[in-house]
Amino acid sequence: AEVNMVKPPQALAASNVGGTATVLHLAALAGAPVAFTSTMLPLGDTAPSGYRQTKAAAEAVCERHFESHGVPSAPLQLGDIGMATAAGSVIPDDDAFVIVLKACVALGLFPDVPWASSLMAVDQCASLFVRLLVDAPAGEFSGRPSEVKGSLVPWGTLYEWLRLEVPALRKVPLHEWREAASARRGSLFQQLGLVFDDFADEQAR
C-alpha cells in the first residue's frame, strides 16, 4: 500500500485497491487467509482522506471476494499504534503521542483535560497479527472490516505515570499549557504545533 494523506484517491487506487485485489487473487490460488491492514475511520464529520477512501474501497473488495469466491480475509481498521511495551525498546522520536509527552516534560506542565487516548503498543499489534495468521479463526476471516484499537487511557492516568519520573510536573488549564508551549522554540515545539491540534480535535469529537 501507499500511505499518503495528501494525494487524491485516484492516485492511490492502483496500489491500495488494485494491490489488494491481486493479493486476494493469489490467496485464493494458495488457499490462504489474508490479514488486511486498513486504517481508522474518519472522526466525527471529518471528510475521509484519499488514503482512507482507497482503504474503504479495498475493504469492499475483501468483502466481495469472500462473498463471491470464499476468499477468507480479515480487514482490520487499525487505530494509533505507538511504542513497544518491552523493556529497553527504542522510543520513536516522531511518534505524535511521544512528542506531546516530551513537551509536557520539557515545560514541566501537563494539560488538565478530561481526555482519554487509545493506545496500542506496536508489539501488541504484531502479536494480534501472529495470532490471526497462525490460528486463523474462521469467524474473524469473514471479509467484513472490524475496528482494532488499544485500551483507552485517561490523560489523568498519564499525568500520574509521568509524575513518577518528573515529580515537579504540575497540571494547568489547557489554555495556559498552550500559551507556554507557543512561547517555546526548538524542533520539539515545532513538531508539537503540527500534532497537538489533531489530539484536541479528536477529543472534541
Side-chain angles (χ1 to χ4, degrees):
E2 180 178 355
V3 180
N4 190 299
M5 303 303 171
V6 178
K7 289 184 178 181
Q10 299 90 332
L12 301 170
S15 57
N16 295 357
V17 185
T20 302
T22 299
V23 168
L24 291 166
H25 174 69
L26 294 173
L29 295 175
V34 175
F36 172 64
T37 55
S38 189
T39 189
M40 66 173 63
L41 298 169
L43 298 169
D45 297 326
T46 304
S49 64
Y51 175 67
R52 173 58 208 163
Q53 290 178 55
T54 59
K55 285 296 189 176
E59 290 169 6
V61 170
C62 288
E63 194 162 5
R64 199 159 55 242
H65 273 66
F66 179 79
E67 293 172 351
S68 60
H69 302 295
V71 182
S73 65
L76 305 177
Q77 295 168 339
L78 296 173
D80 291 330
I81 301 169
M83 301 165 283
T85 58
S89 299
V90 176
I91 298 177
D93 289 335
D94 59 351
D95 181 87
F97 203 76
V98 171
I99 291 169
V100 173
L101 295 183
K102 279 188 172 182
C104 290
V105 172
L107 293 169
L109 305 174
F110 193 94
D112 188 4
V113 289
W115 296 349
S117 291
S118 172
L119 302 177
M120 186 175 197
V122 65
D123 47 343
Q124 293 173 337
C125 184
S127 295
L128 168 68
F129 275 95
V130 170
R131 181 189 65 80
L132 269 177
L133 295 173
V134 171
D135 298 340
E140 296 188 38
F141 284 84
S142 63
R144 292 187 297 273
S146 58
E147 281 193 279
V148 179
K149 295 182 178 180
S151 301
L152 277 176
V153 179
W155 277 49
T157 300
L158 292 172
Y159 170 68
E160 296 300 334
W161 289 347
L162 275 182
R163 281 197 67 209
L164 295 175
E165 301 297 329
V166 189
L169 189 70
R170 61 188 178 89
K171 281 185 178 181
V172 295
L174 178 60
H175 69 87
E176 186 176 330
W177 188 89
R178 282 181 177 272
E179 289 171 2
S182 297
R184 295 289 291 268
R185 296 292 178 265
S187 60
L188 172 63
F189 290 93
Q190 288 177 340
Q191 290 175 303
L192 180 69
L194 297 174
V195 303
F196 189 76
D197 284 344
D198 289 339
F199 273 96
D201 290 344
E202 179 177 346
Q203 299 299 330
R205 296 185 178 94

